[in-house]
Amino acid sequence: MNKFVFNEIAERSAISLIFNRSYMKAQFICYLVMLFFIAAFSSCETYEESSNLDNNGNSTLTILTRSGNDGGGADEIAKVSYPINVYVFNEDDECVAVSNVATEEETLSFKLEEGAYDIYAIAGADDETYNLPTKENAIKDTIISLKDGQEHNDLMTANEKITMARDEDCTLTLMLKRKVMLLESVRISDVPLDVTTVMVTISPLYENIMLNGEYSGNKGSYTVDLAKEEDGTTWSAECNKFLLEAAGPVSIKVSLVNNQINSFTYTSDENLKANHKVSIEGTYVEPEMLLKGEITGDVWEEPKDISFEFGGGSNNNDDKGEDEIGDDDIIDSDIPQVGDIYKEDCIVLKREFQGNNVILTLMTTRFKDRLEFEENNQQSIRSAVNAGIAELSVDGINSWRLPTLEELQYVNTNKDFIDRKLLENSKPVFVTGQYAYYFNNDAGEIQAYFPGSGNISSPKSGSGTYNLRAFTTITLSLN
């Protein structure tokens, strides 16, 4: 409620004027005094009005915030993320006000008409990192997506309902809940010396968060590249990355790259929830991978530990022997490694040593679509495919062909690593989703494989959905 602050000196002066001057003059002076009081009333308003608000409200709503993630820490107080963006929706689900506070020293107030309102807040989202809605286009399930090349901050959200009476001053405290987890570190020990790359992928993660605090999209993932430590067998990364929580039972995939990409995947019944800190430690034990991990709550939430292991075959290729391949330094420096771009337009998918030779499986970095042919006519399809392969072929490399189904499945399984290498060299990624790829089946017929669903169908003529990538296998001499 606004209050008048009367100036005692001014009040005494007004009384003196009234009793010592003529009636007409006294009446005029009284009018001036009234104007003074009106001006003083206007200057005592204390709310900070959003520039997006209409100035016809008769009630004042002041917003306070505090963290609802106090957890079990006795000595630490959960901090609120800034900036805090606040959106006010009326009973018709129309956004009537938007404003934000950048620091804890600031307060936020709105002038509103009487009525019922939904108040939504998203904290930790700045307009340089996220695509934030304006008052004109905000709806309750607006997706707050990351801008290109940006990573998540410590996101928090809140939602409260409030009813404002006419001429009411109200203070509302929003309890902000953390919507991300924190991946602190990843460490894999006893990795074979011939491994050139180690990656860990966590999936499925939610892809985006909405203004109402709910998640959107359930096919996200996060991949971290580990760096080799001085001992040569330990690979690690200090991540400290905020990630949206898991969209279901979590899968952790460890990929070891040497002659080919060897992946070990563990699926846990546990979900990686928001407000947890996550660290992963694993040990490679030939021929199996034993991986132990820890999810801890710190002061965010009560501690929770999980452990797991997953295994697979030996990381070493059966046809490769130390006596056969010679000096490791020569191989690493002179022979293309898995993931390398070879002759500008090929990517190395596999590398196998046989005696004094190394066999490379290559895939073109370019692709073709919209091939024209007579549908369900294998001769017509093959003619169009052969013409497409001729266009994709790379100078100096012969015997380009269609992949097998197993080769396409291998690329799809290791898509994260392969796509990363392609992107690093400004090459088009191996798209999945609704897209399919031509391949030769065991009967020698050309079909189309959909990596996203695993379905197989006959290709359609002139369609941009069906992609052609050419494969080949070449042999290089180590002599």
Side-chain angles (χ1 to χ4, degrees):
M1 203 68 171
N2 290 300
K3 296 181 180 179
F4 285 104
V5 180
F6 291 92
N7 187 301
E8 185 177 354
I9 297 174
E11 192 173 68
R12 288 201 301 268
S13 298
I15 294 171
S16 176
L17 285 168
I18 291 172
F19 284 98
N20 293 292
R21 302 291 177 89
S22 66
Y23 176 78
M24 292 289 292
K25 197 169 185 179
Q27 200 173 36
F28 175 74
I29 296 299
C30 286
Y31 177 72
L32 291 178
V33 172
M34 289 178 62
L35 290 178
F36 169 78
F37 289 153
I38 292 172
F41 175 86
S42 300
S43 67
C44 288
E45 294 289 343
T46 59
Y47 71 89
E48 297 177 15
E49 189 175 41
S50 166
S51 60
N52 294 316
L53 280 171
D54 296 327
N55 295 320
N56 58 0
N58 49 43
S59 301
T60 304
L61 172 64
T62 301
I63 301 292
L64 303 178
T65 57
R66 67 184 299 262
S67 173
N69 298 293
D70 293 332
D75 299 326
E76 296 190 46
I77 299 174
K79 294 183 178 179
V80 171
S81 298
Y82 288 91
I84 302 173
N85 305 278
V86 178
Y87 295 79
V88 181
F89 290 85
N90 64 15
E91 295 173 278
D92 296 324
D93 287 339
E94 297 174 331
C95 185
V96 296
V98 175
S99 194
N100 66 77
V101 292
T103 67
E104 61 184 349
E105 287 78 22
E106 298 179 32
T107 59
L108 183 63
S109 295
F110 296 98
K111 272 293 191 179
L112 299 172
E113 296 287 353
E114 59 185 302
Y117 296 92
D118 275 338
I119 315 297
Y120 290 92
I122 180 162
D126 58 78
D127 57 8
E128 293 183 358
T129 307
Y130 294 88
N131 295 302
L132 296 171
T134 63
K135 186 180 79 169
E136 290 70 29
N137 62 19
I139 56 177
K140 294 179 180 180
D141 56 358
T142 298
I143 292 176
I144 311 297
S145 60
L146 283 169
K147 292 185 176 180
D148 290 343
Q150 299 297 317
E151 296 180 335
H152 283 298
N153 298 327
D154 189 7
L155 291 178
M156 300 178 176
T157 64
N159 170 223
E160 293 289 346
K161 295 180 181 293
I162 191 169
T163 299
M164 300 289 294
R166 183 174 180 82
D167 297 323
E168 178 183 14
D169 284 357
C170 182
T171 299
L172 174 67
T173 299
L174 294 177
M175 301 292 289
L176 292 160
K177 293 287 187 179
R178 182 171 282 113
K179 303 299 290 187
V180 293
M181 59 183 175
L182 179 64
L183 178 63
E184 292 189 301
S185 63
V186 179
R187 180 185 175 92
I188 306 294
S189 303
D190 295 341
V191 176
L193 289 170
D194 62 344
V195 168
T196 60
T197 302
V198 178
M199 299 190 315
V200 174
T201 300
I202 302 173
S203 65
L205 304 177
Y206 286 113
E207 298 172 55
N208 297 294
I209 193 168
M210 294 188 288
L211 182 59
N212 60 13
E214 297 180 4
Y215 295 107
S216 170
N218 58 6
K219 295 183 179 179
S221 66
Y222 180 76
T223 298
V224 54
D225 289 315
L226 308 188
K228 185 188 292 187
E229 296 186 3
E230 291 184 1
D231 65 3
T233 62
T234 302
W235 295 68
S236 64
E238 295 297 325
C239 306
N240 292 315
K241 299 294 184 185
F242 292 108
L243 306 175
L244 298 183
E245 71 176 40
V250 66
S251 292
I252 299 176
K253 181 172 73 172
V254 179
S255 297
L256 307 179
V257 182
N258 55 1
N259 304 320
Q260 59 182 13
I261 308 168
N262 296 292
S263 298
F264 306 84
T265 301
Y266 169 78
T267 300
S268 171
D269 292 334
E270 294 275 3
N271 280 359
L272 294 182
K273 292 293 188 181
N275 205 37
H276 282 94
K277 294 184 177 181
V278 181
S279 61
I280 298 173
E281 289 196 14
T283 301
Y284 181 87
V285 182
E286 194 173 1
E288 292 186 342
M289 168 73 78
L290 302 177
L291 193 68
K292 292 186 177 180
E294 192 174 73
I295 299 177
T296 59
D298 192 55
V299 298
W300 291 14
E301 202 164 291
E302 291 297 325
K304 179 177 66 173
D305 299 328
I306 63 171
S307 61
F308 46 87
E309 64 179 36
F310 57 85
S314 170
N315 185 55
N316 297 318
N317 190 284
D318 292 338
D319 294 328
K320 184 191 72 173
E322 185 176 351
D323 294 335
E324 295 175 312
I325 62 177
D327 191 336
D328 283 341
D329 293 335
I330 295 176
I331 294 170
D332 287 344
S333 61
D334 294 347
I335 302 299
Q337 299 182 13
V338 173
D340 284 354
I341 300 300
Y342 183 66
K343 290 190 179 293
E344 296 187 6
D345 286 318
C346 314
I347 184 170
V348 179
L349 299 179
K350 294 183 181 180
R351 184 178 73 166
E352 178 184 356
F353 294 97
Q354 290 185 351
N356 291 323
N357 296 323
V358 59
I359 300 172
L360 303 179
T361 300
L362 309 176
M363 179 181 73
T364 57
T365 59
R366 296 178 295 120
F367 69 93
K368 278 191 66 65
D369 59 7
R370 304 186 187 281
L371 301 185
E372 299 283 349
F373 48 80
E374 182 181 342
E375 293 184 9
N376 299 316
N377 184 320
Q378 281 293 310
Q379 183 176 354
S380 177
I381 296 172
R382 189 166 298 279
S383 177
V385 165
N386 288 342
I389 289 176
E391 291 185 38
L392 294 174
S393 63
V394 179
D395 291 342
I397 302 177
N398 299 319
S399 303
W400 289 100
R401 56 175 173 79
L402 278 179
T404 64
L405 178 60
E406 290 74 19
E407 286 174 326
L408 287 178
Q409 290 171 334
Y410 171 86
V411 174
N412 186 47
T413 299
N414 300 286
K415 172 178 165 56
D416 291 339
F417 174 77
I418 293 170
D419 280 354
R420 179 166 300 196
K421 292 298 183 180
L422 291 170
L423 286 171
E424 286 174 359
N425 292 274
S426 301
K427 307 294 185 181
V429 299
F430 187 82
V431 295
T432 54
Q434 63 178 349
Y435 296 95
Y437 290 85
Y438 295 91
F439 75 95
N440 264 327
N441 66 15
D442 293 338
E445 296 178 336
I446 297 176
Q447 291 184 291
Y449 166 64
F450 291 82
S453 63
N455 293 335
I456 294 173
S457 72
S458 297
K460 303 296 182 183
S461 177
S463 173
T465 297
Y466 297 83
N467 294 331
L468 173 65
R469 294 255 192 180
F471 283 56
T472 191
T473 304
I474 66 171
T475 300
L476 302 179
S477 175
L478 294 175
N479 294 331

